[in-house]
Amino acid sequence: MTLQKNIIIRSDDKIQKFHMPDNNEDRLKAFQTIVNGLIEFVNIPENPELVAIVNEEGLLRSLPYNEAASILLDRTIVGDCIIIEEDQA
């Protein structure tokens, strides 16, 4: 699978389109709602124009393993993951 921008990779391997809110306050709320908590940005070395957003406390909260995101990002990802353009973060 090739990484695309503005998608949500769910921990159940479903992929959804993500509609980016217009203002920063709404974006933060949307990010936190999707990942179910505090957000953390994860750089994607193979695609520096993209960034992943995950739950900062996902491992501590025992969120479900996200196999698709883990494979794409080449690291362990738990919970839902958002992929956006780096300049939108």
Side-chain angles (χ1 to χ4, degrees):
M1 176 198 295
T2 302
L3 280 179
Q4 298 176 10
K5 67 178 182 174
N6 295 347
I7 61 169
I8 303 167
I9 304 172
R10 301 281 183 188
S11 56
D12 63 4
D13 292 332
K14 293 181 182 170
I15 297 183
Q16 297 175 280
K17 188 125 179 101
F18 172 66
H19 299 283
M20 183 69 72
D22 291 329
N23 68 59
N24 288 339
E25 186 176 313
D26 290 342
R27 284 182 190 180
L28 177 59
K29 287 179 186 176
F31 296 160
Q32 290 174 326
T33 298
I34 292 166
V35 303
N36 192 25
L38 300 175
I39 63 170
E40 176 181 357
F41 294 98
V42 177
N43 291 323
I44 307 171
E46 296 80 23
N47 294 320
E49 72 280 0
L50 300 176
V51 66
I53 302 170
V54 299
N55 186 306
E56 183 178 277
E57 301 175 325
L59 291 172
L60 294 172
R61 294 179 54 209
S62 299
L63 294 181
Y65 178 68
N66 188 325
E67 183 176 13
S70 295
I71 290 169
L72 287 171
L73 300 174
D74 196 27
R75 64 185 286 180
T76 300
I77 301 294
V78 296
D80 294 339
C81 170
I82 307 165
I83 306 293
I84 62 169
E85 286 182 306
E86 195 276 331
D87 63 357
Q88 293 179 318

